[in-house]
């Protein structure tokens, strides 16, 4: 090593460089750790805020439930049900009061904070009068319910409850909005802090590049340049010594070893700029079934292929690319008439000042190309099959929509329409002079009106259950199983195993509802089952619904092959619908034992 190189190497203080690297890495690690701690703190805060907002929203539902139960008790209850309804109202009132007090004053059990912002304190102070009025009016109403002389006072108490519930819902909506705004402010502050940490990290990385990587790179490049210069000087000085002979001898041995390896492992050939073979490797010659001893012409293109058109193409490539080189894939025909694919590279090599040649290196890619062509053929077949399948799905969707519209029309015409016609004729036949018959007809009309209301509710429930939009997926599935149990006589049970009570996106909820409805209907219609169990459970990321029946089961492979059958299309529609909301469906069925269908939907 020369003195210049040694001096330059001394300038590269690796101890200082290591210290600078360590400082930069520690700084980045600290910023990442702080960022993660802040994120975890913010996640815990958001969880508490979410529960707080959820419970606040449920307060509005509880107040509506309280008002509905009071109205039902006041208007339609039988004497035998009064005590049970009064007990339900008391339970609802106690839960409503407890939750509101926990929200207003804080609760350690529910993790509700005792400290609140001035805005929330003002809103809770503003709503307190309505809470007290609802509480007192409900209590008075329940105490006087069995007193016949307090009918007028009870009516006034019911009106007080209704008036204050409406105001309570409006004010509670403002409280929920304030909780959401404060939660949003927390998230915004966290995001700004994260941006600050990210900016600081990027600044550290920039300083590391500016003061460590860039100067070190320049110094190393200069050192390598000096080393290369010294190497060339050393080689020049060693040419006149005996050591050069030993180097040459070793180089010859290495070249022989390399040549042997190339002959037996690589498909290579040396050709002249005119396309004549100078030397061809043994493995390449064996692949082409080419013997240079029997070829006077020694044309590279003729050695590659026996087809004249392909030979002309190869000669043209050699003529055009002999200076700049060429790389590409060649489709040729060997001496047996089989297709041969070669990944070929032509590299120009200068031997002397006025003499050059081309080094050709090839790879046999015939198997890979044949596999690619087979994959392309299978893909084309798969695309055609999917297009045909999509056409079948589209036609079945249109057919099902038309059948559903006809069913709804029949229900309205045959059921509700005829009852309305009967109501019209009964009203016209009332003779007010005959009070006894008029009273009987009025009682009949009341019953008929209730039947009409029930028919309208049934029709609207089949189209879109109100529980789904008002309360979410759990109440709507509960209502679905109860209604289908009444209509079909089947024993249909629903279990919310993990006490799921969240609201999801409306599109996800309606698809979950329709999937569950379709699975239950299939168990009723096709499985001939007497017991159906619907179970719902969830984790942090997955909502799972399982529908089990004790029906006759089926062979899944056989049904899936029958794409045009009603059952086959039903399973296909079910899979398409669950795929639409990024979910998965698992179907397990054993003939004679029953069927289990499980839907897993990300939440």
């Amino acid at each position: 090593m020369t003195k210049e190189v040694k001096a330059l190497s001394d300038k590269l203080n690796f101890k200082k460089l290591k210290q600078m690297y360590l400082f930069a890495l520690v700084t980045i690690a600290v910023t990442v750790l702080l960022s993660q701690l802040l994120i975890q703190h913010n996640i815990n805060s958001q969880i508490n805020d979410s529960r707080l907002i959820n419970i606040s929203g449920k307060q509005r539902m509880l107040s509506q439930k309280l008002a509905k139960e009071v109205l039902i008790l006041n208007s339609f209850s039988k004497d035998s049900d009064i005590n049970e309804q009064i007990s339900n109202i008391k339970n609802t009132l106690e839960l409503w009061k407890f939750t509101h007090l926990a929200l207003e004053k804080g609760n350690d059990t529910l993790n509700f904070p005792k400290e609140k912002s001035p805005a929330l304190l003002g809103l809770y102070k503003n709503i307190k009068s309505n809470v007290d009025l609802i509480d007192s009016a409900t209590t008075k109403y329940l105490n006087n319910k069995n007193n016949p002389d307090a009918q007028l006072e009870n009516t006034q108490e019911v009106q007080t409850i209704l008036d204050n519930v409406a105001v309570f819902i409006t004010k509670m909506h403002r409280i929920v909005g304030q909780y959401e705004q404060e939660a949003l402010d927390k998230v915004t502050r966290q995001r700004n802090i994260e941006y600050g940490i990210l900016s600081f990290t990027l600044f550290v990385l920039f300083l590391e590049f500016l003061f460590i990587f860039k100067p070190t790179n320049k110094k190393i490049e200069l050192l390598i340049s000096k080393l290369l210069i010294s190497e060339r000087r050393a080689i020049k000085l060693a040419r006149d010594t005996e050591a050069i002979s030993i180097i040459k001898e070793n180089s010859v041995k290495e070249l022989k070893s390399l040549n042997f390896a190339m002959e037996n492992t690589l498909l290579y050939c040396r050709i002249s700029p005119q396309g004549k073979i100078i030397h061809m490797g043994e493995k390449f010659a064996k692949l082409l079934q080419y013997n240079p001893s029997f070829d006077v012409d020694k044309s590279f293109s003729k050695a590659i292929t026996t087809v004249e058109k392909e030979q002309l193409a190869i000669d043209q490539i050699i003529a055009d690319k002999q200076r700049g080189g060429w790389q590409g894939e060649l489709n040729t025909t060997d001496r047996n008439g089989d297709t041969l694919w070669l990944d070929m590279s032509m590299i120009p090599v200068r031997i002397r000042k006025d003499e050059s040649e081309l080094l050709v290196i090839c790879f046999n890619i015939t198997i890979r190309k044949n596999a690619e062509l087979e994959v392309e053929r299978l893909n084309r077949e798969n695309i055609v099959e999917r297009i045909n399948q999509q056409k079948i799905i589209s036609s079945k969707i249109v057919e099902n929509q038309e059948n559903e519209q006809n069913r709804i029309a029949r229900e309205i015409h045959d059921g509700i329409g005829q009852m309305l016609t009967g109501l019209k004729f009964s009203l016209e036949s009332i003779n007010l002079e005959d009070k006894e018959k008029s009273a009987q007809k009025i009682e009949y009309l009341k019953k008929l009106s209730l039947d009409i209301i029930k028919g309208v509710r049934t029709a609207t429930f089949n189209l879109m259950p109100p529980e789904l939009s008002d309360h979410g997926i759990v109440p709507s599935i509960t209502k679905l199983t109860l209604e289908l149990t009444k209509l079909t006589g089947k024993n249909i049970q629903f279990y919310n195993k993990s006490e799921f009570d969240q609201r999801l996106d409306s599109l996800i909820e309606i698809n979950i509802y329709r999937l569950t409805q379709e699975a239950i209907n299939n168990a009723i219609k096709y499985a001939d089952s007497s017991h159906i169990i619907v179970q719902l459970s969830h984790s942090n990321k997955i909502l799972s619904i399982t529908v089990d029946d004790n029906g006759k089961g089926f062979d899944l492979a056989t049904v899936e092959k029958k794409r045009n059958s009603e059952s086959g299309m039903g399973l296909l529609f079910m899979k398409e619908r669950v795929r639409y909301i990024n979910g998965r469906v698992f179907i397990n069925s054993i003939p004679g034992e029953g069927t289990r269908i499980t839907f897993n939907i990300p939440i």
Side-chain angles (χ1 to χ4, degrees):
M1 179 182 290
T2 62
K3 294 181 179 180
E4 295 178 357
V5 175
K6 186 175 181 180
L8 186 59
S9 177
D10 293 338
K11 290 182 180 179
L12 288 174
N13 192 335
F14 287 101
K15 182 178 180 180
K16 182 179 180 181
L17 182 63
K18 181 171 68 175
Q19 292 175 350
M20 294 176 70
Y21 266 112
L22 183 61
F23 172 78
L25 292 174
V26 169
T27 305
I28 294 172
V30 169
T31 56
V32 171
L33 180 61
L34 289 175
S35 176
Q36 287 300 314
L37 291 174
L38 287 172
I39 289 173
Q40 294 301 321
H41 174 73
N42 186 52
I43 289 173
N44 294 331
S45 177
Q46 288 181 7
I47 292 173
N48 291 333
D49 291 342
S50 299
R51 293 186 70 255
L52 202 60
I53 294 170
N54 187 27
I55 297 299
S56 302
K58 290 178 67 173
Q59 276 297 91
R60 296 176 291 184
M61 181 271 291
L62 287 174
S63 64
Q64 290 176 324
K65 180 182 178 184
L66 180 64
K68 289 179 182 178
E69 291 177 345
V70 170
L71 284 175
I72 292 171
L73 178 62
N74 190 55
S75 301
F76 302 107
S77 298
K78 298 179 181 179
D79 294 339
S80 60
D81 299 332
I82 287 178
N83 291 332
E84 182 180 354
Q85 292 182 3
I86 289 175
S87 176
N88 291 336
I89 293 174
K90 287 182 178 180
N91 292 335
T92 302
L93 179 62
E94 289 302 320
L95 177 59
W96 177 73
K97 288 167 57 180
F98 170 77
T99 306
H100 188 82
L101 182 63
L103 288 170
E104 181 180 3
K105 302 298 184 180
N107 187 292
D108 295 333
T109 304
L110 298 176
N111 291 326
F112 289 174
K114 297 180 179 179
E115 300 294 332
K116 293 180 176 59
S117 65
L120 284 173
L121 291 174
L123 291 173
Y124 277 112
K125 184 178 180 182
N126 186 27
I127 203 174
K128 189 176 187 307
S129 60
N130 302 104
V131 175
D132 295 338
L133 286 172
I134 294 172
D135 182 20
S136 61
T138 306
T139 304
K140 290 178 181 180
Y141 173 77
L142 295 176
N143 292 334
N144 297 331
K145 177 59 183 174
N146 295 321
N147 186 2
D149 298 331
Q151 186 65 30
L152 179 60
E153 183 180 353
N154 285 344
T155 303
Q156 293 176 352
E157 297 300 340
V158 170
Q159 187 61 42
T160 301
I161 293 171
L162 294 177
D163 293 340
N164 283 276
V165 164
V167 178
F168 174 84
I169 291 173
T170 302
K171 292 182 179 180
M172 201 66 200
H173 181 72
R174 296 173 185 167
I175 292 175
V176 174
Q178 182 63 30
Y179 276 128
E180 291 177 345
Q181 182 60 43
E182 291 182 4
L184 180 61
D185 292 340
K186 291 180 182 179
V187 173
T188 303
R189 288 195 299 271
Q190 174 64 23
R191 181 174 59 191
N192 293 334
I193 294 174
E194 285 294 320
Y195 284 154
I197 295 175
L198 177 62
S199 301
F200 178 75
T201 304
L202 294 176
F203 179 70
V204 170
L205 291 174
F206 174 75
L207 292 179
E208 184 179 2
F209 170 76
L210 193 63
F211 295 103
I212 298 177
F213 285 108
K214 191 175 181 180
T216 304
N217 182 59
K218 289 183 177 179
K219 292 178 180 179
I220 291 175
E221 287 180 352
L222 184 58
L223 176 61
I224 291 174
S225 177
K226 295 293 186 180
L227 287 172
L228 291 175
I229 294 173
S230 299
E231 183 183 8
R232 287 195 292 269
R233 291 178 180 174
I235 292 174
K236 185 178 180 180
L237 292 174
R239 285 177 180 174
D240 298 329
T241 63
E242 186 179 358
I244 197 65
S245 300
I246 300 174
I247 294 174
K248 287 183 177 180
E249 184 179 351
N250 292 334
S251 297
V252 169
K253 291 180 180 180
E254 291 177 0
L255 286 174
K256 287 182 179 180
S257 300
L258 179 61
N259 183 64
F260 177 79
M262 291 178 63
E263 291 282 345
N264 292 275
T265 58
L266 288 180
L267 304 178
Y268 85 98
C269 181
R270 294 164 50 210
I271 62 175
S272 67
Q274 292 76 31
K276 302 298 182 181
I277 297 175
I278 300 175
H279 174 75
M280 178 177 286
E282 293 183 4
K283 187 175 181 180
F284 200 8
K286 185 177 180 181
L287 174 66
L288 299 177
Q289 299 179 5
Y290 172 74
N291 190 344
S293 302
F294 297 98
D295 186 7
V296 179
D297 192 19
K298 295 188 181 297
S299 172
F300 177 71
S301 60
K302 293 180 180 179
I304 291 290
T305 178
T306 58
V307 179
E308 185 177 357
K309 184 177 180 180
E310 295 174 358
Q311 294 173 355
L312 293 175
I314 295 173
D315 290 335
Q316 187 65 40
I317 293 173
I318 295 174
D320 295 338
K321 305 296 182 180
Q322 59 178 282
R323 294 183 179 274
W326 180 83
Q327 193 277 331
E329 296 179 354
L330 279 181
N331 182 10
T332 63
T333 305
D334 63 14
R335 284 168 168 72
N336 294 327
D338 298 328
T339 300
L340 179 66
W341 283 91
L342 296 175
D343 186 353
M344 182 179 294
S345 297
M346 293 184 180
I347 305 169
V349 179
R350 183 172 296 278
I351 305 301
R352 298 181 183 83
K353 184 176 181 181
D354 297 327
E355 185 179 349
S356 63
E357 62 182 45
L358 288 173
L359 176 63
V360 179
I361 300 176
C362 298
F363 295 94
N364 186 2
I365 58 172
T366 304
I367 297 177
R368 190 192 77 190
K369 294 297 292 187
N370 290 337
E372 290 176 356
L373 294 174
E374 180 65 16
V375 168
E376 290 178 2
R377 185 186 66 80
L378 293 175
N379 286 337
R380 287 194 298 270
E381 293 180 356
N382 187 39
I383 290 171
V384 172
E385 181 181 354
R386 290 187 62 85
I387 291 173
N388 294 333
Q389 179 179 320
Q390 194 63 39
K391 289 179 180 179
I392 295 174
I393 293 174
S394 301
S395 63
K396 287 295 182 180
I397 289 173
V398 173
E399 180 181 344
N400 289 341
Q401 289 176 344
E402 192 66 27
N403 292 337
E404 184 68 11
Q405 291 174 358
N406 291 335
R407 183 188 63 78
I408 295 170
R410 285 195 303 271
E411 287 183 1
I412 295 174
H413 180 271
D414 297 342
I416 301 172
Q418 291 183 4
M419 287 190 287
L420 288 173
T421 303
L423 178 63
K424 174 180 177 297
F425 289 145
S426 297
L427 287 172
E428 292 175 349
S429 64
I430 292 176
N431 186 3
L432 298 178
E433 296 178 358
D434 190 346
K435 294 184 179 179
E436 183 177 353
K437 290 185 177 181
S438 298
Q440 292 177 357
K441 288 187 177 182
I442 289 173
E443 289 300 322
Y444 170 73
L445 290 175
K446 288 181 180 179
K447 182 178 180 303
L448 185 59
S449 299
L450 291 176
D451 291 338
I452 294 173
I453 292 172
K454 182 178 179 181
V456 172
R457 287 180 175 175
T458 301
T460 55
F461 175 80
N462 289 332
L463 291 174
M464 176 59 73
E467 287 81 7
L468 186 60
S469 57
D470 292 343
H471 307 301
I473 191 65
V474 174
S476 62
I477 294 180
T478 304
K479 180 71 173 179
L480 173 66
T481 55
L482 292 175
E483 291 293 329
L484 290 177
T485 298
K486 295 177 182 178
L487 293 174
T488 63
K490 307 288 186 181
N491 185 6
I492 305 175
Q493 300 291 331
F494 172 62
Y495 300 100
N496 185 3
K497 298 175 65 176
S498 59
E499 299 297 330
F500 180 76
D501 59 356
Q502 303 176 24
R503 291 303 304 268
L504 305 175
D505 181 80
S506 60
L507 180 62
I508 295 177
E509 286 186 342
I510 187 60
N511 276 282
I512 293 174
Y513 179 82
R514 293 303 184 199
L515 285 166
T516 307
Q517 186 181 39
E518 177 72 13
I520 296 174
N521 288 334
N522 286 345
I524 295 171
K525 184 176 180 181
Y526 300 111
D528 194 21
S529 57
S530 60
H531 290 76
I532 301 172
I533 298 177
V534 182
Q535 301 179 76
L536 184 146
S537 61
H538 78 287
S539 62
N540 292 334
K541 297 182 179 180
I542 297 295
L543 175 68
S544 180
I545 295 179
T546 302
V547 180
D548 287 294
D549 67 71
N550 64 340
K552 57 187 180 182
F554 61 90
D555 184 22
L556 182 61
T558 303
V559 173
E560 287 185 342
K561 290 179 180 178
K562 298 178 180 179
R563 293 293 188 182
N564 296 325
S565 66
E566 186 174 356
S567 57
M569 292 306 299
L571 292 179
L572 185 59
F573 289 155
M574 191 178 293
K575 291 179 180 179
E576 289 293 331
R577 187 185 285 273
V578 77
R579 189 181 298 116
Y580 179 67
I581 55 176
N582 297 322
R584 299 182 66 187
V585 60
F586 302 93
I587 303 173
N588 296 312
S589 184
I590 300 176
E593 297 186 15
T595 301
R596 164 173 285 189
I597 299 178
T598 302
F599 305 107
N600 289 339
I601 298 95
I603 57 176

